[in-house]
Amino acid sequence: MQRRRFLGLAAAATTLGLTAALSGCGTLGGGGDVTLSLVAADYDLTGGDSTKKYWDGLVAAFEAKNPGVRVQVRIESWNDVDRVVAELVKAGKAPDLAQIGAYADYAAADQLYAADQLLSIPVQANFLGPLVDAGEYEHTQYGMPFVASTRLLFFNQELFDKAGVEAAPTTWDELAEAAEKLKRKGVRYPFALPLGAEEAQAETMMWLLSGGGGYLDGMGHYKIDSDANIRTFTWLRDNLVAKGLTGPVAPAKLDRKAAFAAFARGEVGMLNGHPSLMQEAAKKGVKVGKIALPSADGRPRATMGVADWIMGFKQNGHRKEIGAFLDFVFSDGNVLKFAGDNDLLPATVTASEAMRSDPAHADLREFLEALPDSQLPPVGKTSWAQVSGTVKKDIGKAVAPGAQPAEILGRIGRQATAAESAE
């Protein structure tokens, strides 16, 4: 069904011509200069300034076409960006735009413009179907997908060869066996398991899905302490962490950025990776293998899809200027540049098709193909920001030596249910 919607949106977008409806010079700013503020997340895995350079270039091009509007961009790390925006909003100083990880709580508080209040029709029609669904709160789209990704198991082919691992694992038992062989060859992180505060909610969801569970039950309610989820974390505790196969840093203390950096240095045998890691690993000479995430029993499971969101706040009343800027942000050239520079997936139909047909991005095709059928976190729930924060803070404890996963997951699950009931 999602793939049919994908194709339907592609046809609609093509029919509409996909011409960004930028307002002409002199029509923005209400007769005077307007300065838009944007808080955006940092995507540079190396601590560099590539994200800043992207926004600097985009803003300069936009301002040249729209002299009445200036845009000030503030870049924050993924560790801090959601908190920074929440603090600004709470203080009555909401930015005009935020490019962050969640939108629903702001939509529920009536603090956001709906997408159709901001975007031209061709631009709004051009988003990928599953991402539109995930960006809706009470059947109205508020979250506009900025960039997307799916997940695969990454492995270091050279380390596999040295350790005598002949085939990439398709089951958890095969994964543990490969990790044992890597450990015997002195690999620092046989399997890197980043359950630290940076991105633990994503690592958790990947494992829950591959174990036949997830954050939600069949009725769309949180069920974090389901039997399947408890089995998953018990397996991680007993078969990876307790056997010293996750490296010298406890999973609860290992952030994704550190794990990815270690992979790019050739210190990691395997990890759950997303597309942007390929570029950094290739720069360091790591030969990367990729395969669907192993499951408990080897049967195919839905992979996790992720979208990062951009949204427009009402507080400052700059609807027309925000809309013009977003139309520009979502033009194919800008979407493809950011996605291509960071080895991520475009959130729009036309940019996705362009990337799929470009030989320069052949290594992203597996991720692109997985996106239409992927499962996204429950970002449309207003409780998700709170629940994901709890997961980030506590889930790493579930795999610690001597921990009781049922206890930890039960506590997180009760807090999630309470947060959901308050929606």
Side-chain angles (χ1 to χ4, degrees), residues 196-266:
E198 181 190 3
E199 195 75 356
Q201 84 288 355
E203 184 74 16
T204 296
M205 184 171 176
M206 286 180 260
W207 281 100
L208 298 184
L209 290 174
S210 64
Y215 282 122
L216 308 179
D217 62 18
M219 302 298 292
H221 299 298
Y222 291 112
K223 189 58 177 174
I224 294 173
D225 58 343
S226 69
D227 290 344
N229 293 346
I230 291 170
R231 284 195 299 270
T232 292
F233 271 81
T234 301
W235 188 91
L236 288 171
R237 181 199 64 186
D238 294 344
N239 294 278
L240 292 185
V241 181
K243 294 181 179 179
L245 302 179
T246 55
V249 180
K253 300 293 185 182
L254 182 64
D255 282 341
R256 181 186 65 173
K257 182 176 282 191
F260 281 13
F263 185 86
R265 293 194 301 268

Side-chain angles (χ1 to χ4, degrees), residues 134-319:
E136 291 180 350
Y137 172 75
E138 294 189 346
H139 309 295
T140 298
Q141 185 183 2
Y142 293 94
M144 289 157 280
F146 178 68
V147 73
S149 66
T150 52
R151 300 295 192 264
L152 297 173
L153 178 73
F154 282 29
F155 56 92
N156 183 317
Q157 186 64 65
E158 184 178 348
L159 294 181
F160 264 36
D161 293 342
K162 289 180 179 178
V165 181
E166 297 180 358
T170 60
T171 69
W172 288 356
D173 287 344
E174 291 173 357
L175 185 148
E177 182 181 349
E180 289 275 13
K181 291 179 178 179
L182 291 162
K183 181 183 179 182
R184 288 197 291 269
K185 285 296 182 180
V187 175
R188 186 171 170 81
Y189 294 88
F191 186 94
L193 184 65
L195 293 175
E198 181 190 3
E199 195 75 356
Q201 84 288 355
E203 184 74 16
T204 296
M205 184 171 176
M206 286 180 260
W207 281 100
L208 298 184
L209 290 174
S210 64
Y215 282 122
L216 308 179
D217 62 18
M219 302 298 292
H221 299 298
Y222 291 112
K223 189 58 177 174
I224 294 173
D225 58 343
S226 69
D227 290 344
N229 293 346
I230 291 170
R231 284 195 299 270
T232 292
F233 271 81
T234 301
W235 188 91
L236 288 171
R237 181 199 64 186
D238 294 344
N239 294 278
L240 292 185
V241 181
K243 294 181 179 179
L245 302 179
T246 55
V249 180
K253 300 293 185 182
L254 182 64
D255 282 341
R256 181 186 65 173
K257 182 176 282 191
F260 281 13
F263 185 86
R265 293 194 301 268
E267 298 175 358
V268 174
M270 298 175 283
L271 52 62
N272 294 334
H274 68 64
S276 64
L277 177 57
M278 292 188 301
Q279 188 177 82
E280 284 307 309
K283 286 179 184 176
K284 302 291 178 62
V286 174
K287 185 178 179 182
V288 180
K290 306 186 297 293
I291 193 172
L293 300 183
S295 64
D297 56 11
R299 290 188 295 171
R301 303 285 185 182
T303 189
M304 185 185 72
V306 174
D308 300 328
W309 306 97
I310 193 165
M311 61 212 70
F313 283 87
K314 293 180 177 180
Q315 180 177 311
N316 301 317
H318 296 149
R319 182 185 63 81

Side-chain angles (χ1 to χ4, degrees), residues 46 80 111 124 137 166 194 210 250 284 328 359 379 411:
T46 65
D80 301 322
Q111 294 169 321
Q124 189 178 6
Y137 172 75
E166 297 180 358
S210 64
K284 302 291 178 62
F328 190 72
V379 292
R411 184 166 66 246

